[in-house]
Amino acid sequence: MTIQEASERYQIPMEVLRTYERWGLCPEAGQAAGERRYDGRDLERLSLILTLRDIGFTGEETERYMRLLERPGTEGDRLRMLEEKRDAALADIHARERQVERMDYLRHQLRKRQETRRK
């Protein structure tokens, strides 16, 4: 399938497909009429790239992860990358929870004042 077909069928942005091509992570894939052809393996990798982007990986992190995927014995490195990203996400969640707690406290204080004024 062509880049246009892959983009349309799987809703993969063209920029992601072009980046994937630039990385050269799929040299064994075919070309037809000078245009890159995507096969099932490519689409699996593109799905992984989209997942990595969705969980907050930068372009550089995504490329590093995908290059590690090409080499045997890199499971530990990839797992560390995922654990670091997970830890960062949890830290962000906890920071947001503290913000919500503070907002709730302020809301509570304002409601108490309103009730006091009504009496």
Side-chain angles (χ1 to χ4, degrees), residues 21-50:
E21 288 180 354
R22 271 195 315 276
W23 289 346
L25 295 172
C26 48
E28 72 284 346
Q31 297 256 341
E35 188 171 19
R36 172 96 169 72
R37 303 295 293 187
Y38 291 87
D39 61 17
R41 184 169 182 247
D42 292 323
L43 295 174
E44 285 178 22
R45 288 172 175 271
L46 289 167
S47 176
L48 177 57
I49 288 169
L50 292 173

Side-chain angles (χ1 to χ4, degrees), residues 77-114:
D77 292 327
R78 287 181 281 137
L79 186 57
R80 267 188 297 287
M81 290 180 78
L82 291 169
E83 287 172 348
E84 287 172 8
K85 198 56 71 175
R86 182 180 188 279
D87 290 345
L90 284 173
D92 186 50
I93 288 168
H94 295 310
R96 296 283 184 173
E97 286 175 337
R98 286 189 299 276
Q99 288 176 334
V100 169
E101 288 171 4
R102 290 178 186 135
M103 283 182 244
D104 287 346
Y105 173 77
L106 293 173
R107 290 172 56 224
H108 173 73
Q109 291 297 316
L110 285 171
R111 286 184 179 136
K112 272 179 44 176
R113 284 186 195 147
Q114 284 178 336

Side-chain angles (χ1 to χ4, degrees), residues 59-74:
E60 288 177 3
E61 291 168 330
T62 300
E63 181 178 6
R64 179 170 177 250
Y65 188 96
M66 296 305 292
R67 291 201 183 282
L68 286 170
L69 191 62
E70 293 289 310
R71 297 190 348 235
T74 61

Side-chain angles (χ1 to χ4, degrees), residues 1-8 17 32 35-38:
M1 119 180 16
T2 66
I3 189 171
Q4 186 69 35
E5 291 167 337
S7 177
E8 290 171 5
L17 296 172
E35 188 171 19
R36 172 96 169 72
R37 303 295 293 187
Y38 291 87

